[in-house]
């Protein structure tokens, strides 16, 4: 059964960095868009970054210049490199792969930015 699993979350001080990974198990084909979302306490889930099959990337204004989305197709993995983290980045981060016929979501990984 195909599924996505996030890893790399944790506790980090303001200004610190983390790299999240999202790895697919099973065979997921015809992936059009791979994205990272986050949901902070009491907030709605929001799009953080996305990468299209052609390589185009998009970022939320709040993370532009500090977060980088990338992928390693050979490893079936998408990454989110986060730098200069702020307390407001505290959230559960989810990966989302949008395919031609079906969408996949991971269960999320907690990121806490606190001193």
């Amino acid at each position: 059964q195909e599924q996505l699993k996030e890893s790399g979350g944790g506790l980090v001080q303001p200004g610190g960095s983390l790299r999240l990974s999202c790895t697919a198990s099973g065979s997921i084909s015809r992936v059009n868009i791979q994205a990272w979302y986050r949901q902070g306490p009491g907030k709605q889930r929001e799009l953080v970054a996305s990468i299209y099959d052609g390589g185009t990337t998009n970022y939320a204004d709040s993370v532009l210049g500090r977060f980088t989305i990338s992928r390693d197709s050979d490893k079936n993995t998408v990454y989110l490199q986060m730098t200069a983290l702020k307390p407001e980045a505290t959230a559960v981060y989810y990966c989302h792969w949008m395919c031609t016929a079906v969408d996949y979501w991971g269960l999320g990984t907690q990121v806490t930015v606190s001193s």
Side-chain angles (χ1 to χ4, degrees):
Q1 182 177 356
E2 302 85 7
Q3 60 182 6
L4 302 179
K5 183 173 177 59
E6 303 94 339
S7 61
L11 174 64
V12 63
Q13 293 187 341
S17 300
L18 279 177
R19 188 178 80 157
L20 306 183
S21 300
C22 172
T23 300
S25 61
S27 177
I28 297 179
S29 61
R30 299 183 179 181
V31 181
N32 299 315
I33 306 171
Q34 295 158 304
W36 286 94
Y37 285 73
R38 68 185 178 189
Q39 187 166 15
K43 299 180 181 180
Q44 291 187 331
R45 192 172 296 190
E46 62 175 352
L47 177 64
V48 177
S50 58
I51 182 166
Y52 287 70
D53 58 355
T56 300
T57 57
N58 286 301
Y59 297 92
D61 289 344
S62 59
V63 307
L64 192 62
R66 299 184 298 113
F67 289 15
T68 303
I69 188 170
S70 63
R71 65 179 170 219
D72 185 333
S73 297
D74 291 339
K75 295 183 178 179
N76 232 4
T77 299
V78 176
Y79 303 98
L80 185 67
Q81 178 68 50
M82 306 185 293
T83 63
L85 281 162
K86 305 176 181 180
E88 50 264 41
T90 295
V92 178
Y93 284 71
Y94 301 88
C95 63
H96 181 204
W97 291 19
M98 289 158 271
C99 305
T100 301
V102 65
D103 288 0
Y104 297 91
W105 286 92
L107 296 180
T109 185
Q110 176 70 47
V111 171
T112 302
V113 185
S114 175
S115 56

